[in-house]
Amino acid sequence: MKYLVVGSGLFGAVFAHEAAQKGHQVTVIEKRDHLAGNIYTEEIDGIQVHKYGAHIFHTSNKKVWDYVNQFAEFNRYTNSPVANYKGHMYNLPFNMNTFSEMWGVRTPQEAMNKINEQRKEMEGKKPQNLEEQAISLIGRDIYEKLIKGYTEKQWGRKATDLPPFIIKRLPVRLTYDNNYFNDDYQGIPKGGYTQIVEKMLDNPNITVKLNTDFFDKKDEYLKSFDKIVYTGPVDQLFDYKLGRLEYRSLRFETEEKNIDNYQGNAVINYTEADIPYTRIIEHKHFEFGKGDKDKTIITREYPAEWKPGDEPYYPVNDDKNNELYAKYKELADKEDKVIFGGRLGQYKYYNMDQVTAVALDTVDKEFGE
Ligand code: FAD
Ligand code: UDP
């Protein structure tokens, strides 16, 4: 079979790799001038720069963990972001360190008493939006200082207009444990993420074409390939005929500083509303300070309203957009020549491990287990 994979992100790369291993001919087209989609990293001064924001691989899915470990060796990096709220530093995720910094409590019981008192206002109510979900999870103090400003900047919407599930991603713990994730496995590939995609696509059955947009020759591609694996925005494939799905975009501002250590951590979140960026990442800390000792590279991440032509980084999975996506999904299910995959093709807030898992499931469905 002749497959065309549209997009060289993780979904496209996993699918292309597996199809090629099974002897199929695969052409991968990518509209950007580099491989790897949003997991792209580039080495500058010996530092792996995460060009599209901090990427930490974490999963509890052993199959996925073993799978990605074929393509890179992972280090022991554990994500432990710190929040800066008006100059006060708080550990994340919400754990005993945060509670102790916020309220001066010392034991889990003291913290629990404080949280229970703080979330009384939500007693007996089912959270209907992100604000209510956050208050019922952790109370108003933490909501006001560490969640509200960050969330409203990130999504460009009031927390009362956002779905509760977004905040459920974050752990809440009564231990002094700053690990941002609860997963069994976590790390950063030594030498960056790009090599993972390069290795996946390094197969004589795979041809890669960069700077190539599917929509420049859509009809020709549809005619000349047996099947298309499409990882771009689902609404674009249908010419937006049911209306446009909404996305959130980002702007990255990267700066080189002639010092060894700028902020002492890979990720610092700025949780107040008045600071326009959400976080600063200092790339060398993902690899424990590896790289030039006189230099460091930092990136400020500014959330941005998405408009046609911008990179669509996050699907906005609120009710309105999910309903529209459901209609596009009906159309997508009827397309027997096109497989829709990934964060944009399936309009889901997938992490890397989830994208890998759904790509492997898609491979199983396509070729049989
Ligand atoms: P993408 O990486 O978006 O790949 C799609 C590719 O298709 C792109 O390269 C695009 O250029 C190309 N394309 C689109 N349209 C066309 C077209 N018409 N023609 C040709 N090519 C096209 N996940 C984690 O697990 N941990 C993290 O810490 C983490 N942090 C993140 C931080 C940020 C700021 C963002 C935005 C995401 C983060 N993620 C993280 C999620 C992770 O980036 C995604 O799960 C993963 O990259 C999705 O892979 P994908 O292949 O679906 O999409
Ligand atoms: N969040 C927050 N304060 C923080 C970090 C996260 O309120 O300091 C909220 C915010 O709404 C964000 C969500 O939690 O969109 C999920 O955070 P995560 O770090 O998982 O977001 P991502 O890395 O996917 O952007």
Side-chain angles (χ1 to χ4, degrees):
M1 292 266 281
K2 272 173 66 189
Y3 285 90
L4 177 74
V5 172
V6 181
S8 65
L10 199 50
F11 189 99
V14 169
F15 187 92
H17 177 76
E18 293 302 314
Q21 292 277 75
K22 291 177 189 344
H24 300 285
Q25 291 300 314
V26 186
T27 300
V28 178
I29 58 171
E30 168 55 59
K31 68 175 184 181
R32 297 184 192 174
D33 63 0
H34 60 77
L35 291 176
N38 291 340
I39 68 172
Y40 176 62
T41 49
E42 182 186 19
E43 186 173 320
I44 302 173
D45 297 326
I47 300 165
Q48 289 297 329
V49 176
H50 295 213
K51 296 293 268 197
Y52 299 94
H55 275 77
I56 300 102
F57 204 103
H58 56 97
T59 190
S60 289
N61 184 330
K62 177 134 185 359
K63 182 178 160 199
V64 164
W65 183 242
D66 290 342
Y67 187 80
V68 294
N69 273 268
Q70 295 176 77
F71 304 100
E73 188 185 341
F74 281 71
N75 70 16
R76 58 155 190 83
Y77 179 81
T78 300
N79 199 30
S80 312
V82 176
N84 181 328
Y85 176 76
K86 301 196 171 169
H88 295 277
M89 308 303 274
Y90 298 94
N91 285 107
L92 295 173
F94 311 123
N95 73 86
M96 283 304 297
N97 288 306
T98 332
F99 308 141
S100 160
E101 289 147 2
M102 185 76 56
W103 299 314
V105 295
R106 285 155 300 177
T107 64
Q109 190 57 57
E110 286 172 14
M112 219 39 243
N113 293 346
K114 193 78 191 169
I115 292 171
N116 283 339
E117 172 195 314
Q118 290 259 322
R119 60 185 179 197
K120 265 213 174 90
E121 60 180 289
M122 276 302 295
E123 220 165 53
K125 287 192 223 152
K126 186 173 182 304
Q128 299 298 329
N129 56 51
L130 194 149
E131 174 171 303
E132 291 180 6
Q133 179 66 60
I135 293 170
S136 74
L137 208 62
I138 204 68
R140 190 164 276 278
D141 281 354
I142 288 185
Y143 170 69
E144 298 283 351
K145 290 186 172 153
L146 303 183
I147 298 175
K148 187 174 192 290
Y150 186 101
T151 297
E152 295 188 343
K153 293 194 273 199
Q154 168 76 356
W155 296 99
R157 287 161 174 74
K158 295 263 159 242
T160 44
D161 292 334
L162 284 164
F165 85 91
I166 296 175
I167 200 70
K168 283 203 206 148
R169 287 166 63 90
L170 305 188
V172 176
R173 297 195 190 103
L174 291 171
T175 51
Y176 287 90
D177 176 1
N178 295 326
N179 182 352
Y180 201 57
F181 304 114
N182 281 327
D183 285 322
D184 293 343
Y185 311 103
Q186 179 171 180
I188 302 272
K190 292 182 184 174
Y193 283 93
T194 307
Q195 59 171 330
I196 294 183
V197 170
E198 282 170 354
K199 286 185 201 158
M200 285 177 177
L201 300 182
D202 181 15
N203 184 302
N205 291 338
I206 300 180
T207 309
V208 177
K209 291 183 188 154
L210 299 177
N211 301 304
T212 306
D213 191 322
F214 175 70
F215 293 100
D216 289 345
K217 288 187 193 162
K218 179 179 164 191
D219 295 336
E220 199 179 309
Y221 290 128
L222 282 165
K223 262 191 234 131
S224 50
F225 287 88
D226 298 315
K227 255 193 167 165
I228 314 268
V229 174
Y230 175 79
T231 71
V234 53
D235 52 347
Q236 191 177 7
L237 192 105
F238 295 106
D239 237 346
Y240 310 106
K241 68 178 173 193
L242 305 176
R244 280 185 186 268
L245 289 166
E246 291 177 300
Y247 301 87
R248 259 326 257 171
S249 198
L250 297 170
R251 187 167 59 81
F252 298 103
E253 209 176 81
T254 295
E255 202 184 317
E256 197 171 296
K257 301 234 175 231
N258 294 323
I259 49 168
D260 180 30
N261 184 359
Y262 174 73
Q263 63 180 14
N265 204 31
V267 185
I268 308 264
N269 290 359
Y270 287 79
T271 57
E272 65 201 81
D274 292 344
I275 292 182
Y277 43 87
T278 46
R279 45 192 171 190
I280 300 183
I281 62 177
E282 186 172 8
H283 302 267
K284 61 166 34 170
H285 295 306
F286 290 120
E287 295 196 76
F288 311 108
K290 203 170 146 272
D292 202 321
K293 287 289 159 228
D294 308 318
K295 286 204 176 102
T296 192
I297 296 172
I298 61 163
T299 302
R300 291 187 180 82
E301 193 174 309
Y302 294 83
E305 196 55 54
W306 175 87
K307 52 186 185 337
D310 295 343
E311 282 296 342
Y313 288 107
Y314 293 91
V316 180
N317 290 116
D318 58 10
D319 290 344
K320 183 178 99 186
N321 284 287
N322 284 343
E323 276 162 32
L324 181 56
Y325 171 65
K327 293 186 189 137
Y328 274 116
K329 171 109 182 21
E330 276 176 32
L331 294 182
D333 289 342
K334 286 187 201 133
E335 286 282 336
D336 40 348
K337 210 171 176 174
V338 186
I339 297 171
F340 293 78
R343 230 188 208 206
L344 304 174
Q346 295 176 285
Y347 200 69
K348 291 218 168 58
Y349 191 3
Y350 283 142
N351 286 325
M352 290 179 277
D353 61 325
Q354 296 167 309
V355 159
T356 309
V358 287
L360 290 172
D361 283 348
T362 306
V363 166
D364 286 346
K365 268 191 217 124
E366 185 65 7
F367 304 109
E369 280 184 63

